[in-house]
Amino acid sequence: MTSSSDRSLAVDVPAPKSYEIRTYGCQMNVHDSERLSGLLEEAGYVRAPEGADGDADVVVFNTCAVRENADNRLYGNLGRLAPRKAARPGMQIAVGGCLAQKDRDTIVKKAPWVDVVFGTHNIGRLPVLLERARVREEAQVEIAESLEAFPSTLPTRRESAYAAWVSISVGCNNTCTFCIVPALRGKEKDRRTGDILAEIEALVAEGVSEITLLGQNVNAYGSDIGDREAFGKLLRACGTVDGLERVRFTSPHPRDFTDDVIAAMAETPNVMPQLHMPLQSGSDTVLRAMRRSYRQERYLGIIEKVRAAIPHAAITTDIIVGFPGETEEDFEQTMHTVREARFAQAFTFQYSKRPGTPAATMEDQIPKEVVQARYERLVALQEEISWEENKKQVGRTLELMVAEGEGRKDGATRRLSGRAPDNRLVHFTKPGQDVRPGDVVTVEITYAAPHHLLAEGAVLGVRRTRAGDAWEKRNADDAAKPAGVMLGLPTIGAPAPLPVASGSGCGCD
């Protein structure tokens, strides 16, 4: 029983402020958002529940400047949040990422209810800028022109307990005429190999069993020190990390793809038989106009070498359709390259102008209807090839790492989903025993569709892993944390973030 004196001493402890982060664009942005989450949680914020849809104390937009109509998408979402912010005293809105780096003060002019604008080089400043905006009651715009600290030095709230991104470099030294990323992310800067391996070892100690090495031009790693074989050496070093089961990387540039990297992939058991390598165009003429420093023959030669060394490798790519000046003959060269390469999957993009890029002012911009028609032909061809390549998997016995949230129909079909070593998505029959994301199951493939495989028979084996333990612990810890306080206001119907494709997702590599 509480006495009157106890009641008189009771104080109201304010609930922690909640945050929501909306991420657009490539894996760089996804990983940056993990850093932003870590920063906010270290500052005392708690993550808003799933489906918050703007119903949080702080809403952060981590933007992309490469996506078509990226600015319209941002300002539309900001406009939908304006009445929510007016009805919720103390709510703050922050805009970061590539579009913030590009537009700067324009964002506050178009959306004066935004509290903070920060760039790609100073994501570590977000908590400070939010507090400064609150105290001064005015928008804070801070855009650094160069990297203040390598992102890996910042706290991180990783989205997965069993798989993790590890940045090995930031920025890009290429000058592709369609891409604005180098202007927004800066010149390439590599991390020390020792720091990369230390981060990987720490992640493995926490239960992570799969890492993806991340860079805007990942296989150019070592350019800072003039070591063209540094990336291959890094892959081999990953093979010595005890407990690390799967290593992937994205996205490499054909220009920097050397034979020692292929050898490292083939000879390092935990480097997965998967390669995402952007093509962009199969036409030498268009590649020259794009300032891509390889040609069709060089690209197909790399694929031939990879398949000779790793016969079961799944190769995926990015392709841009309708680049300025692309003729029907140029497009047929792309179709020819796709037929020869036989990609497991291709992420295809219709060219659209990006202000600030050389391609935006080129002559011979292709009419929209021509681009659309070519795009549909390319998609149809790739769908056919993807299906044929997936059918070759039927009858194979594969080890899958059980995934979280990758099978949208798993609940209705009583299936689970996982990723094969080559990163193909496989839906499999739910076994009688409990399996967790991060655990490994052995299955036999029985059916193929263009974008996934099925294992309809009984699971052949289940291996419980430290990664599964980590997922279980993460869920238990999250359940014990206080939830962000919600006002219960109706949702505002803002569109969901764009899905992130394998590779860059933006066609800029």
Side-chain angles (χ1 to χ4, degrees):
M1 183 174 178
T2 304
S3 68
S4 58
S5 59
D6 290 335
R7 288 195 297 270
S8 65
L9 293 174
V11 293
D12 291 329
V13 177
K17 292 183 178 180
S18 61
Y19 75 90
E20 176 192 353
I21 298 178
R22 301 186 186 183
T23 308
Y24 301 86
C26 67
Q27 282 93 333
M28 291 290 186
N29 275 14
V30 174
H31 192 35
D32 282 350
S33 289
E34 292 183 331
R35 305 292 183 192
L36 293 170
S37 294
L39 286 160
L40 290 171
E41 291 188 9
E42 188 177 68
Y45 294 83
V46 297
R47 194 172 191 170
E50 288 294 325
D53 204 11
D55 196 3
D57 295 300
V58 172
V59 179
V60 183
F61 291 87
N62 191 4
T63 64
C64 171
V66 176
R67 294 284 188 182
E68 186 174 7
N69 298 322
D71 51 350
N72 292 337
R73 189 183 304 274
L74 171 65
Y75 294 120
N77 285 334
L78 290 175
R80 294 184 186 98
L81 278 186
R84 174 68 56 84
K85 189 173 190 290
R88 183 169 187 160
M91 179 181 176
Q92 292 183 297
I93 300 172
V95 179
C98 288
L99 195 63
Q101 186 81 20
K102 181 173 76 75
D103 284 2
R104 307 181 181 220
D105 294 321
T106 303
I107 293 172
V108 174
K109 291 176 182 176
K110 289 187 174 182
W113 53 93
V114 169
D115 299 276
V116 171
V117 178
F118 62 101
T120 59
H121 299 306
N122 59 330
I123 63 176
R125 297 280 292 167
L126 177 60
V128 171
L129 294 172
L130 287 169
E131 180 62 14
R132 187 187 296 167
R134 185 188 66 79
V135 171
R136 297 184 180 179
E137 298 183 340
E138 63 180 13
Q140 301 298 305
V141 179
E142 188 172 293
I143 306 291
E145 296 301 331
S146 59
L147 194 67
E148 293 184 344
F150 205 92
S152 59
T153 63
L154 302 174
T156 305
R157 201 276 190 196
R158 295 188 184 269
E159 292 302 308
S160 171
Y162 56 89
W165 307 108
V166 175
S167 288
I168 70 170
S169 63
V170 293
C172 181
N173 293 336
N174 293 321
T175 58
C176 301
T177 55
F178 55 81
C179 184
I180 198 169
V181 168
L184 304 179
R185 292 275 181 180
K187 292 292 185 181
E188 182 176 322
K189 183 174 178 60
D190 296 336
R191 286 178 74 186
R192 290 180 59 253
T193 303
D195 292 342
I196 296 168
L197 293 173
E199 181 180 356
I200 292 172
E201 289 168 354
L203 288 167
V204 172
E206 294 171 5
V208 168
S209 60
E210 176 179 310
I211 61 102
T212 300
L213 303 175
L214 190 62
Q216 203 73 50
N217 183 8
V218 70
N219 61 327
Y221 178 74
S223 61
D224 278 359
I225 57 175
D227 184 357
R228 283 181 55 81
E229 297 189 350
F231 185 64
K233 293 173 184 175
L234 177 60
L235 290 179
R236 293 182 186 275
C238 288
T240 67
V241 178
D242 189 37
L244 179 59
E245 297 194 18
R246 295 186 172 193
V247 178
R248 306 185 191 277
F249 58 90
T250 195
S251 290
H253 194 295
R255 182 197 66 188
D256 302 300
F257 215 99
T258 50
D259 289 349
D260 66 292
V261 171
I262 298 173
M265 291 174 66
E267 296 166 10
T268 310
N270 63 356
V271 175
M272 293 294 97
Q274 174 217 354
L275 173 64
H276 181 85
M277 187 167 65
L279 168 66
Q280 308 305 9
S281 175
S283 162
D284 289 354
T285 300
V286 174
L287 288 170
R288 192 174 295 109
M290 289 178 166
R291 287 191 203 148
R292 303 285 287 181
S293 50
Y294 56 89
R295 300 296 175 256
Q296 181 193 113
E297 183 179 6
R298 158 76 172 157
Y299 187 94
L300 291 174
I302 293 171
I303 289 180
E304 183 178 359
K305 289 180 179 179
V306 170
R307 290 210 167 109
I310 314 166
H312 287 300
I315 300 174
T316 58
T317 196
D318 296 334
I319 301 173
I320 297 173
V321 177
F323 188 80
E326 180 189 75
T327 65
E328 181 62 23
E329 182 181 353
D330 291 325
F331 178 68
E332 283 297 337
Q333 285 299 307
T334 295
M335 297 283 276
H336 168 74
T337 307
V338 170
R339 291 187 189 99
E340 290 293 310
R342 299 199 65 80
F343 299 112
Q345 194 171 3
F347 301 94
T348 50
F349 304 86
Q350 296 186 37
Y351 172 78
S352 60
K353 290 183 180 181
R354 298 295 184 266
T357 63
T361 58
M362 286 182 176
E363 296 180 355
D364 298 324
Q365 299 284 328
I366 311 300
K368 172 66 177 175
E369 60 272 16
V370 175
V371 177
Q372 181 67 34
R374 289 176 182 170
Y375 174 81
E376 290 173 2
R377 287 162 57 196
L378 177 60
V379 168
L381 173 63
Q382 182 56 51
E383 288 278 300
E384 178 184 332
I385 293 172
S386 294
W387 199 0
E388 290 173 355
E389 292 301 307
N390 275 0
K391 287 176 183 177
K392 295 177 183 177
Q393 306 299 311
V394 173
R396 292 188 66 196
T397 299
L398 300 175
E399 276 198 338
L400 312 179
M401 182 174 290
V402 181
E404 182 176 27
E406 296 226 48
R408 290 176 293 177
K409 299 179 181 178
D410 282 351
T413 58
R414 291 191 56 78
R415 293 186 180 123
L416 297 176
S417 297
R419 290 283 175 176
D422 65 9
N423 210 36
R424 282 183 165 94
L425 178 64
V426 182
H427 306 303
F428 61 95
T429 301
K430 191 173 183 179
Q433 66 190 98
D434 182 44
V435 292
R436 308 155 301 177
D439 286 340
V440 174
V441 299
T442 304
V443 302
E444 181 180 333
I445 303 303
T446 58
Y447 175 82
H451 301 291
H452 69 269
L453 302 171
L454 289 183
E456 299 164 298
V459 168
L460 303 178
V462 174
R463 176 162 60 87
R464 291 173 70 85
T465 65
R466 291 173 60 252
D469 295 341
W471 178 88
E472 197 167 25
K473 182 178 184 300
R474 160 80 75 89
N475 275 20
D477 290 347
D478 283 353
K481 289 179 182 178
V485 177
M486 310 291 283
L487 295 185
L489 296 174
T491 59
I492 54 176
L498 288 168
V500 180
S502 177
S504 72
C506 58
C508 59
D509 298 273

